[in-house]
Amino acid sequence: METGAPENYTLKSVVIANIVVFIWLVLGIYAIWLVVPFLAVAWGIFLALMFLFVMRKSICTKCRYYGGRCSMGWGWYTSKIFKKGNFEDFPGCFGARFAPFLWMSVSLLPVIVLVISMVFDFSILKTVILVLLILIAYIFGNKDSRKKGCSVCKMNDLCPMGLAMVNEGNERKA
């Protein structure tokens, strides 16, 4: 790991974040399963490939946390399967441009599928899953939690999301 990029995320916070993301993804896949099982399988395979390999290779190999503990712990995981890249290549890489669309689809696709399904076949189970998906997406993706995370991240000078948060008048914490 490059000097100047300390592991400023606790193991507890990394574990909690990964549990929440796992629950979020599984709930989304299950939501789609309730409506179109084949699509849920395809969505699950797509998400597994994107989160475990494509995004790790594209983003995490170029991150200052490579080999260490970022907010999600993916820097350590990535170092076990991919060689380190140049962190200066991070801003223009595929993953940095694609990540917002991936997270948005994780948030919206299951919700849209459930809402449309509920119009034709309402159920309490679908309602509970819908509420949980919206709640997790709000907690994980709201602007205030993003500001807090971006303010301590050692990539916020290169990351489009970090730059946006800093440019909104948020100070970077050392």
Side-chain angles (χ1 to χ4, degrees):
M1 187 161 74
E2 190 177 306
T3 56
E7 295 180 349
N8 55 343
Y9 298 96
T10 66
L11 184 58
K12 179 182 175 182
S13 70
V14 169
V15 169
I16 291 170
N18 277 281
I19 289 170
V20 171
V21 168
F22 181 77
I23 291 169
W24 189 7
L25 296 175
V26 169
L27 272 175
I29 293 166
Y30 183 65
I32 296 170
W33 178 270
L34 291 172
V35 181
V36 186
F38 173 76
L39 180 60
V41 171
W43 181 240
I45 291 169
F46 170 77
L47 291 178
L49 290 173
M50 292 305 291
F51 279 101
L52 294 174
F53 302 106
V54 175
M55 298 304 280
R56 302 300 63 89
K57 172 76 170 147
S58 181
I59 295 177
C60 299
T61 57
K62 298 164 188 69
C63 181
R64 291 180 179 132
Y65 289 100
Y66 177 87
R69 185 172 46 222
C70 64
S71 65
M72 294 298 296
W74 293 340
W76 175 84
Y77 164 75
T78 300
S79 71
K80 303 301 178 198
I81 58 173
F82 297 115
K83 289 183 180 180
K84 184 171 177 54
N86 183 353
F87 75 88
E88 292 172 354
D89 294 336
F90 181 89
C93 74
F94 165 78
R97 292 187 320 266
F98 186 71
F101 298 105
L102 180 61
W103 285 107
M104 195 58 72
S105 66
V106 165
S107 301
L108 293 178
L109 182 67
V111 169
I112 291 168
V113 168
L114 270 182
V115 169
I116 292 170
S117 169
M118 289 171 66
V119 169
F120 301 104
D121 183 28
F122 180 83
S123 78
I124 298 298
L125 176 62
K126 289 178 185 177
T127 305
V128 169
I129 293 171
L130 180 64
V131 168
L132 289 172
L133 284 170
I134 291 170
L135 185 63
I136 292 171
Y138 175 75
I139 291 169
F140 201 81
N142 81 62
K143 202 172 192 177
D144 291 334
S145 70
R146 299 302 324 142
K147 284 180 190 179
K148 183 178 178 186
C150 290
S151 72
V152 297
C153 180
K154 302 303 179 195
M155 289 298 289
N156 72 5
D157 61 324
L158 296 174
C159 175
M161 187 63 164
L163 287 169
M165 291 298 160
V166 171
N167 287 338
E168 285 191 5
N170 301 297
E171 293 182 27
R172 179 172 176 200
K173 296 177 185 170

